[in-house]
Amino acid sequence: VQFVESGGGLVEPGGSLRLSCAASGFTVRLYAMGWYRQAPGNERELVARISSTGGGINYADSVKGRFSISRDNAKNTVYLQMNSLKPEDTAVYYCNAPSLGPYWGQGTQVTVSS
């Protein structure tokens, strides 16, 4: 099982980023997928979750209305569109299939700062 996250970077408050997660080593289309983040000194938290078909989506209250999760099962890829970014969104972002267990990639750093 492997997850490779990309698309992070440095952005000013109010800016946007689109993260990608390439998943492999399992039948991706059969699993719900999630984006998580971990800021220094904090526990890893679930930011957004999408069902296997994409029909069910949930967001953490802190990102509702600003972030959008999607997936392309043909490409085994999950995306996180992040708009109206805030400094408190600064963290390392990871993706995972929650029911598979604690498999984690290297993550992608998102820094929101002026």
Side-chain angles (χ1 to χ4, degrees), residues 20-37:
S20 298
C21 168
S24 61
F26 64 105
T27 307
V28 177
R29 61 182 174 81
L30 298 181
Y31 288 83
M33 295 290 294
W35 278 100
Y36 300 75
R37 67 185 181 188

Side-chain angles (χ1 to χ4, degrees), residues 54-97:
I57 291 176
N58 303 99
Y59 296 100
D61 288 343
S62 57
V63 306
K64 279 181 182 176
R66 301 188 297 121
F67 289 13
S68 177
I69 188 171
S70 61
R71 65 189 296 161
D72 185 337
N73 284 340
K75 296 181 179 180
N76 290 344
T77 301
V78 183
Y79 304 98
L80 186 68
Q81 178 67 44
M82 306 187 297
N83 299 326
S84 302
L85 282 162
K86 303 176 180 181
E88 51 263 43
D89 295 318
T90 295
V92 179
Y93 285 71
Y94 303 87
C95 70
N96 174 266

